[in-house]
């Protein structure tokens, strides 16, 4: 028994009294609940009424009626998501000239409508869903089928170099907010039929398209299955950015460290796909997620692999040093100045004591004040318009720092320590990894001001224990160093030469480990005759 029949049965006493004034809102609600799989009506006016009711008579839904032979027809589309010029040229113009009164939907698709992306619909639910995502719907009176046309047109950002991942040598292209453009950027780099995209939709309201990318034959099936299982568990009303997906599928949601790599660079995604990783592309976000990842991957830059391997190795070790400085430099200064003055040379400790003579705060409070002030300036520089942001950050740091030293609120050595620490944190390639280091700096400073170097040691031990227990889609976060995998360690401590990178890293039992032929070291004896 249908819901409408149940409604009439429930109100049969009123019907017996010939009271036909049923609750219109209740009828519409039951119609929407019932029509999830309701077939398209042969009455075009009824279908149009259903569309208007579904979209609550939204003003951006446009209806263009015309005559198709002796039948009434209409094309419905969302303003701003449809190419109106192509609608007239490829749909309206040929159909309005049609004189065959018995032409079928199939004949229209095959002979009249010159649109590459086209499909037939027979349910109202499918009609509404396709209309909402930008398809144009062609309705024909006395036909139980509708036609969905793919003639999209919307404003989008052009492809340009990512501002957060710039390189001196390397590609200058970056992802945009359009998923089709992002997929094409990857397809242009990997011209193999093994490159596969699995499309899914998330968000009951937003219906956001998400694509899972991998290379068949290289990706580990266990990893791909785990990624799909975690994605399939997501039930949410809306997805606005890839960060929504990231927070719902990561291994440890309470960890301050990112467990999924984010990048705007197609070449970075391509390199990870060739290693057997899985990429997740979200429509509306220029950041593509890569799983799994490691702590060391977050400290690597694309330029490491475009410059000579000796330079790449040197820069990689410098970044490791910068991470240690960004995490421990202020706390080391506070601990030594508070509890371990004997570690400093006499002339240096006398110079520091003279600079702190007028400072009324202990080193711990002084460090916290300066670190908080530096974070305020950093956030202000980011949020302000691009034209004035850097200027405000530089002027603010110089003026406030100099004024604070002159007023005796902070000492000059503390300003130097905080400035060097801030510069070191800027050298971390991944912004989210840099934020994690910056936030962990504060509790370690407090530990250093409380119990000295012992507090720093306890803080570092706690961080290392957490990192050792952390996983990214089942892969150890500190791998291949912990646990030790000698074969893969070469791309962690150093950037090996291209001719040494014979095998792919072992993610979770790779089935295709060979990347290239070995013994490709160049020498003058190789080559031509």
């Amino acid at each position: 028994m249908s819901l409408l029949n149940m409604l009439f049965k429930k109100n049969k006493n009123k019907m017996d009294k010939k009271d036909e004034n049923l609750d219109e809102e209740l009828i519409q609600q039951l119609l929407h609940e019932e029509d999830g799989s309701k077939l398209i009506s042969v009455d075009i006016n009824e279908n149009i009424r259903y569309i208007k009711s579904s979209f609550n008579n939204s003003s951006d839904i446009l209806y263009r009626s015309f005559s198709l032979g002796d039948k009434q027809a209409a094309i419905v589309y969302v303003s701003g998501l449809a190419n109106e010029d192509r609608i007239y040229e490829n749909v309206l113009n040929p159909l309005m000239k049609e004189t065959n009164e018995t032409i079928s939907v199939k004949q229209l698709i095959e002979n009249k409508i010159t649109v590459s992306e086209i499909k037939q619909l027979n349910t109202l639910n499918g009609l509404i869903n396709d209309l909402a995502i930008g398809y144009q719907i062609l309705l024909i009176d006395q036909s139980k089928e509708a036609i969905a046309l793919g003639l999209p047109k919307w404003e989008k950002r052009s492809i340009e170099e990512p501002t957060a991942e710039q390189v001196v040598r390397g590609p200058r292209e970056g992802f945009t907010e359009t998923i089709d453009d992002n997929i094409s950027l990857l397809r242009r780099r990997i011209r193999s039929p093994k490159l596969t995209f699995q499309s899914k939709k998330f968000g009951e309201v937003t219906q956001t398209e998400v694509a899972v990318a991998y290379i068949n034959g290289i990706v580990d099936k266990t990893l791909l299955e785990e990624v799909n299982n975690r994605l399939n568990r997501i039930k949410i009303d809306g997805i606005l950015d890839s960060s929504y997906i990231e927070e719902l599928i990561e291994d440890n949601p309470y960890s301050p460290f990112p467990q999924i790599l984010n990048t705007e660079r197609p070449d970075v995604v391509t390199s990870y796909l060739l290693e057997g990783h899985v990429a997740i592309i979200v429509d509306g976000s220029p950041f593509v997620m890569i799983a799994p990842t490691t702590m060391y991957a977050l400290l690597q830059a694309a330029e490491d692999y475009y410059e000579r391997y000796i330079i790449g190795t040197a820069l990689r070790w410098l970044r490791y040093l910068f991470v240690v400085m960004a995490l421990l430099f202020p706390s080391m200064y506070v601990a030594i100045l508070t509890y371990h003055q004997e570690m400093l040379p006499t002339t240096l400790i006398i110079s520091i004591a003279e600079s702190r003579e007028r400072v009324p705060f202990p080193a711990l409070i002084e460090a916290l004040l300066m670190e908080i002030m530096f974070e305020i300036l950093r956030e202000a520089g980011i949020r302000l318009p691009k034209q004035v942001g850097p200027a405000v950050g530089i002027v603010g740091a110089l003026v406030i720092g100099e004024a604070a030293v002159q007023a005796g609120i902070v000492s000059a050595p503390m300003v130097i320590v905080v400035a060097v620490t801030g510069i070191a944190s800027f050298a971390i390639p991944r912004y989210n990894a840099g934020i994690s280091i910056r936030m962990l700096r504060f509790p370690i400073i407090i530990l250093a001001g409380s119990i000295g170097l012992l507090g720093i040691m306890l803080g570092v031990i706690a961080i290392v224990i957490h990192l050792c227990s952390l996983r990214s889609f089942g892969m150890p976060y500190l791998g291949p160093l912990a646990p030790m995998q000698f074969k893969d360690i070469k791309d962690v401590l150093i950037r090996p030469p291209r001719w040494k990178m014979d095998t792919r890293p072992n993610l979770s039992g790779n089935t295709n480990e060979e990347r290239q032929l070995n013994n490709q070291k160049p020498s003058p004896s190789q080559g031509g005759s």
Side-chain angles (χ1 to χ4, degrees):
M1 181 181 295
S2 69
L3 292 174
L4 283 177
N5 290 335
M6 293 173 61
L7 174 65
F8 283 117
K9 183 177 180 181
K10 183 178 178 180
N11 294 275
K12 66 178 181 178
N13 293 331
K14 295 182 181 180
M15 295 295 292
D16 291 341
K17 297 177 183 179
K18 297 183 180 180
D19 184 3
E20 298 179 356
N21 296 323
L22 296 176
D23 190 339
E24 187 66 25
E25 293 184 0
L26 182 57
I27 293 177
Q28 292 298 326
Q29 179 182 354
L30 291 174
L31 278 171
H32 283 291
E33 293 175 353
E34 185 183 19
D35 286 344
S37 60
K38 183 179 177 182
L39 297 178
I40 293 175
S41 173
V42 295
D43 186 355
I44 188 175
N45 294 320
E46 182 179 339
N47 295 329
I48 291 177
R49 282 195 299 269
Y50 183 85
I51 295 173
K52 291 182 177 180
S53 175
S54 299
F55 286 94
N56 297 313
N57 291 318
S58 180
S59 60
D60 65 330
I61 309 298
L62 304 183
Y63 306 84
R64 172 65 165 88
S65 298
F66 62 96
S67 297
L68 178 58
D70 63 343
K71 297 179 182 178
Q72 181 185 359
I75 186 167
V76 186
Y77 58 92
V78 181
S79 176
L81 296 183
N83 190 327
E84 296 186 350
D85 293 335
R86 290 195 61 194
I87 288 176
Y88 173 78
E89 179 182 350
N90 299 93
V91 182
L92 292 178
N93 190 34
L95 294 188
M96 293 175 70
K97 297 178 181 179
E98 178 59 42
T99 58
N100 186 356
E101 300 178 358
T102 60
I103 191 169
S104 64
V105 171
K106 183 178 180 180
Q107 291 174 325
L108 287 176
I109 295 175
E110 293 178 351
N111 302 323
K112 292 296 180 181
I113 301 176
T114 57
V115 178
S116 58
E117 187 178 1
I118 189 170
K119 58 182 177 179
Q120 294 179 235
L121 304 173
N122 53 23
T123 64
L124 290 171
N125 190 43
L127 184 152
I128 295 299
N129 290 338
D130 284 349
L131 181 60
I133 64 176
Y135 281 91
Q136 300 77 48
I137 306 300
L138 176 62
L139 299 171
I140 302 172
D141 197 23
Q142 303 303 314
S143 174
K144 293 183 179 181
E145 294 179 331
I147 302 175
L149 308 169
L151 297 172
K153 181 183 179 182
W154 53 75
E155 297 298 326
K156 59 182 180 180
R157 184 167 59 92
S158 60
I159 297 174
E160 54 191 18
E161 184 177 9
T163 57
E165 299 179 68
Q166 295 182 355
V167 295
V168 177
R169 180 179 181 180
R172 306 290 181 176
E173 293 178 329
F175 290 119
T176 68
E177 288 76 13
T178 306
I179 190 171
D180 292 336
D181 290 348
N182 297 340
I183 290 175
S184 67
L185 288 172
L186 294 178
R187 181 67 72 179
R188 197 177 72 182
R189 284 169 171 78
I190 305 178
R191 303 175 183 180
S192 169
K194 294 183 179 180
L195 177 60
T196 307
F197 297 93
Q198 293 180 353
S199 182
K200 306 172 183 289
K201 289 190 183 299
F202 294 95
E204 297 294 331
V205 178
T206 60
Q207 291 289 302
T208 304
E209 185 178 359
V210 176
V212 178
Y214 60 93
I215 299 179
N216 193 26
I218 296 179
V219 68
D220 185 78
K221 298 299 182 183
T222 305
L223 171 62
L224 181 60
E225 182 179 358
E226 179 66 21
V227 171
N228 285 322
N229 288 340
R230 296 191 188 189
L231 290 175
N232 292 334
R233 292 200 303 261
I234 296 177
K235 304 296 179 184
I236 193 172
D237 60 349
I239 299 292
L240 303 182
D241 184 74
S242 60
S243 60
Y244 284 51
I245 300 287
E246 179 180 356
E247 291 191 36
L248 293 171
I249 64 174
E250 60 186 356
D251 290 63
N252 188 343
Y254 298 106
S255 174
F257 295 95
Q259 296 138 62
I260 298 177
L261 180 65
N262 297 283
T263 181
E264 293 183 81
R265 297 188 63 89
D267 55 323
V268 173
V269 177
T270 301
S271 66
Y272 278 100
L273 290 176
L274 291 171
E275 291 183 352
H277 294 253
V278 175
I280 303 174
I281 310 170
V282 180
D283 192 23
S285 174
F287 288 91
V288 173
M289 297 178 289
I290 301 171
T293 190
T294 63
M295 182 67 182
Y296 312 107
L298 298 172
L299 303 180
Q300 296 174 1
E303 203 167 20
D304 292 354
Y305 298 93
Y306 298 137
E307 297 291 351
R308 294 185 60 81
Y309 66 93
I310 298 176
I311 299 173
T313 300
L315 292 176
R316 187 167 293 182
W317 277 99
L318 280 176
R319 288 194 204 101
Y320 293 156
L321 176 62
F322 294 154
V323 170
V324 175
M325 291 179 60
L327 182 63
L328 301 180
F329 196 24
S331 56
M332 291 289 292
Y333 178 81
V334 170
I336 292 175
L337 205 61
T338 306
Y339 296 100
H340 313 282
Q341 298 91 341
E342 69 279 1
M343 295 180 63
L344 298 178
T346 303
T347 54
L348 179 59
I349 193 65
I350 292 175
S351 176
I352 294 176
E354 290 178 351
S355 65
R356 298 194 73 255
E357 185 177 2
R358 297 175 55 209
V359 177
F361 305 111
L364 173 61
I365 302 301
E366 185 184 5
L368 290 176
L369 285 175
M370 287 302 299
E371 286 290 345
I372 293 173
M373 182 57 64
F374 189 86
E375 294 298 328
I376 292 174
L377 289 173
R378 188 202 307 259
E379 284 299 308
I382 294 175
R383 308 304 166 201
L384 285 172
K386 186 181 298 184
Q387 293 79 3
V388 298
V392 169
I394 295 172
V395 173
L398 291 175
V399 172
I400 294 175
E402 181 65 23
V405 172
Q406 292 295 328
I409 299 176
V410 296
S411 62
M414 181 60 75
V415 174
I416 296 173
V417 169
V418 172
V420 172
T421 303
I423 294 173
S425 66
F426 286 139
I428 300 175
R430 306 296 170 188
Y431 180 73
N432 51 0
I435 292 178
S436 302
I437 299 299
R438 284 158 48 191
M439 294 300 104
L440 289 172
R441 189 162 61 224
F442 287 94
I444 294 183
I445 290 175
I446 295 174
L447 286 173
S450 302
I451 52 179
L453 292 178
L454 178 61
I456 297 177
M457 292 175 60
L458 292 176
V460 171
I461 290 172
I463 293 174
V464 172
I465 291 174
H466 173 71
L467 291 175
C468 289
S469 64
L470 203 58
R471 295 288 184 272
S472 175
F473 286 81
M475 182 179 177
Y477 199 63
L478 291 183
L481 288 180
M484 182 67 72
Q485 295 177 348
F486 291 99
K487 183 183 66 174
D488 299 332
I489 204 173
K490 59 186 178 183
D491 198 22
V492 173
L493 300 180
I494 64 172
R495 202 285 266 178
R498 187 68 55 190
W499 41 268
K500 276 285 188 181
M501 302 174 70
D502 301 330
T503 58
R504 297 183 176 89
N506 187 2
L507 301 182
S508 56
N510 296 53
T511 57
N512 186 353
E513 296 185 359
E514 185 177 351
R515 188 202 300 259
Q516 63 187 24
L517 292 177
N518 55 11
N519 298 323
Q520 295 197 73
K521 180 180 178 180
S523 67
S525 61
Q526 297 177 357
S529 57

